[in-house]
Amino acid sequence: MFKDFELKRICRTSTYNLSSQSQVRYEHSYSKPLYLTTTRMTMGPARRHVSDNKDAASLGQALKFEFSGQTARNRFLKGAMTELLSSWDADNVEARGVPSEDLVNLYRIFGQGDIGLMLSGNIMIDHDHLEAAGNAIIPRGSIFSGARFEAFKRMAAAAKMHGSLFIGQVSHPGRQVKSNIQKHPISASDVQLEGNILGSTFEKPRAATKEDITNVVEGFTHFHATNKSTFQTS
Ligand SMILES: Cc1cc2nc3c(=O)[nH]c(=O)nc-3n(C[C@H](O)[C@H](O)[C@H](O)COP(=O)(O)O)c2cc1C
């Protein structure tokens, strides 16, 4: 389980893999927060919540979404996990965000997993407001044909090949666009994301104007039209 550790106070669970000398605060619903200092730590078993109802059969049952009328064949969901497998060009912004064959292949493999519903990772609406290089992008006003559109279609078709539902997740990064991508972020307020976060820094945003907000709404609406024509047909 744990190796080479020094405990200030022992807690009963850990699934975390920590770098050396880190201190972690564990919250438990049934106990006070506990603190653990490690010099090295390996993965340990997760604490299991005991339940009287152990029948997982409902996970295999279909689930109808009344609003869309679509039915997921089971209740497993693949969460949104940013893939960063789309094109990136530091200078030519219009060449960014086209899904690569690796991304199509990733969804082909997810599609073989018999997952009821899959959410894509972040798909952005601007070439230069990105969470990171390699984000997929459906730019505001882009046409529903050509190389970009066809690549998104291949990605969706691969995801759905074995009957999964697939939803493209539209995103705007707001203040969380890396400094090397955008020097003038917009956000809900001008509060900056400070410090170095996992190797990234972020500029101070300006509070979005009414025009900025209209642009984002337009991007999301345009995305929705693409989402319908690309991801939810065939
Ligand atoms: C590598 C990674 C990438 C993620 N990318 C996205 C993303 O693109 N969009 C999003 O809404 N959430 C993203 N998330 C958050 C997850 O969808 C999920 O909400 C989060 O991991 C909490 O679920 P968990 O406790 O099961 O990990 C990401 C999480 C991880 C670990």
Side-chain angles (χ1 to χ4, degrees), residues 79-82 121-122 169:
M81 287 179 287
T82 195
N122 293 313
Q169 183 192 45

Side-chain angles (χ1 to χ4, degrees), residues 192-204:
Q192 185 174 7
L193 201 51
E194 288 172 346
N196 187 311
I197 301 171
L198 297 174
S200 299
T201 55
F202 305 85
E203 301 293 328
K204 183 173 168 63

